[in-house]
Amino acid sequence: RNLLFTLSCSCLLPGTIASTIPEVSNTLQNILKNTDKSNKYTYPTDLTRGIIPKPFHSHNDYWRDVPFYTGLSYGAISTESDVWLINGTLYVGHELSALTPERTFESLYINPILDTLHRQNPITKFAPSPTLHGVFDADSGQTLYLFVDLKTSGSETWPAVLKALEPLRAEKYLSTYDGKTFTSAPVTVIGTGNTPLSAVQSAIPRDAFYDAPLPTLSTTFSNITSFDSPIASTDFAVQFGKVLNQTFNSTQLDTLREQVATAHAKGIKVRYWDQPGWPIGTRNAVWRTLIDEGVDILNVDDLKGCAEFWENRG
């Protein structure tokens, strides 16, 4: 079963997000299955069939109707979970008032990601040994970036996050650094918010990394490498202010190019958050400039809009 069919049957209530998830030909598959009376038109890893991975970060992903799965259905290669450590449990939400007993890091992210990876790595007579394919059927080598934004004390919450990752760690699904070599795997975990850099850098080997502050990679945080931080981020509005007439001015372009060049020289990918979302023309112009100037991951609130932009960008 493809992702759309799986979501509409097992995760969604009527009228939630089924109409917003891209069509991945489940109607045709249903016709073939019922007319041919066989399973030859399906295959074990077709959960994400037809979904092309795109360089998007699903910003505030936990606000979506179905966290993780909605972003996955649009091809987002990066997702985000805000976590609060309360009485030993990691709860997910932007503010304390948004927390509920059911919405935990385990229930909304760890378990769904693990289930998806199990579906993409089945043991069959043709593949009797374990594999390490990623979440996307169209590109099994694409890692999923899992940003974990610590809202409570970093010194207490970070160990809890590392413990929560154990189900993924046990099956070797986490990207790692052993002191010499970075090994990419289906999931690359990046701590942000109150994540303590010292705890990340002191952990050798490590399987969770740090969201570096992009503007200071050549100054205050010049000691950070891609082994510490695969991706560096910063606030777009703080760095550039307003973009007028859908065009970056020369000062804005100089800043953008300098920051991208500094990060890329270190082998670190670049992400800006708090980009303008309105008007749409400005939003799309900003996306295009960021892509043209080498920004690696677009920070996206409107996944549908960005997917359409990406497919029609020319």
Side-chain angles (χ1 to χ4, degrees):
R1 297 185 298 174
N2 57 44
L3 180 59
L4 176 61
F5 183 81
T6 301
L7 283 177
S8 61
C9 287
S10 62
C11 296
L12 304 183
L13 296 174
T16 54
I17 68 166
S19 62
T20 67
I21 298 177
E23 173 60 53
V24 284
S25 70
N26 68 298
T27 302
L28 175 59
Q29 292 301 311
N30 187 58
I31 291 171
L32 291 172
K33 183 175 181 179
N34 283 280
T35 56
D36 189 69
K37 305 298 183 183
S38 77
N39 290 320
K40 68 185 179 184
Y41 296 111
T42 64
Y43 52 91
T45 62
D46 70 352
L47 176 69
T48 55
R49 183 204 296 217
I51 299 174
I52 304 301
K54 304 173 184 67
F56 303 164
H57 173 75
S58 181
H59 182 230
N60 290 334
D61 181 82
Y62 44 86
W63 277 346
R64 305 196 185 281
D65 289 328
V66 183
F68 170 64
Y69 284 118
T70 304
L72 180 65
S73 73
Y74 282 105
I77 65 170
S78 181
T79 191
E80 173 184 347
S81 177
D82 285 10
V83 298
W84 304 74
L85 181 65
I86 301 174
N87 295 328
T89 297
L90 292 169
Y91 295 96
V92 171
H94 195 65
E95 304 287 350
L96 282 170
S97 57
L99 305 185
T100 73
E102 295 79 15
R103 293 171 63 83
T104 68
F105 186 48
E106 179 183 39
S107 68
L108 293 183
Y109 289 92
I110 298 299
N111 288 345
I113 291 172
L114 191 63
D115 180 71
T116 300
L117 290 172
H118 285 162
R119 293 170 183 269
Q120 299 307 113
N121 294 278
I123 299 297
T124 72
K125 71 176 183 179
F126 301 102
S129 300
T131 56
L132 292 174
H133 298 148
V135 297
F136 295 106
D137 186 52
D139 185 356
S140 62
Q142 173 63 58
T143 194
L144 173 74
Y145 295 102
L146 174 59
F147 280 73
V148 186
D149 189 339
L150 276 59
K151 295 299 187 182
T152 42
S153 165
S155 60
E156 296 179 353
T157 310
W158 188 241
V161 169
L162 296 179
K163 182 179 179 181
L165 296 172
E166 181 57 32
L168 295 168
R169 180 181 300 116
E171 300 196 42
K172 303 186 185 303
Y173 286 145
L174 297 179
S175 296
T176 60
Y177 173 64
D178 65 3
K180 295 181 178 180
T181 303
F182 177 87
T183 302
S184 183
V187 179
T188 301
V189 176
I190 300 178
T192 188
N194 290 330
T195 298
L197 174 59
S198 59
V200 174
Q201 289 183 317
S202 63
I204 303 292
R206 72 178 66 112
D207 54 21
F209 302 86
Y210 183 72
D211 181 19
L214 178 61
T216 55
L217 285 179
S218 61
T219 55
T220 309
F221 290 91
S222 60
N223 68 323
I224 287 180
T225 72
S226 61
F227 299 133
D228 306 314
S229 302
I231 299 174
S233 309
T234 193
D235 186 328
F236 179 95
V238 170
Q239 298 302 308
F240 305 109
K242 291 184 178 181
V243 175
L244 302 177
N245 301 317
Q246 302 183 9
T247 304
F248 282 58
N249 62 38
S250 59
T251 301
Q252 291 170 325
L253 277 177
D254 287 345
T255 299
L256 173 60
R257 289 166 179 168
E258 178 184 1
Q259 291 181 353
V260 170
T262 298
H264 285 180
K266 290 173 169 284
I268 297 174
K269 297 182 186 298
V270 173
R271 175 181 72 104
Y272 289 95
W273 46 274
D274 195 22
Q275 302 155 28
W278 187 264
I280 299 300
T282 297
R283 181 197 71 180
N284 289 0
V286 167
W287 282 344
R288 182 173 294 280
T289 299
L290 294 180
I291 292 168
D292 289 346
E293 295 296 333
V295 170
D296 302 279
I297 297 180
L298 295 178
N299 198 75
V300 177
D301 291 298
D302 181 359
L303 287 171
K304 182 176 183 293
C306 200
E308 291 170 350
F309 163 83
W310 185 258
E311 292 164 359
N312 298 312
R313 68 193 187 283

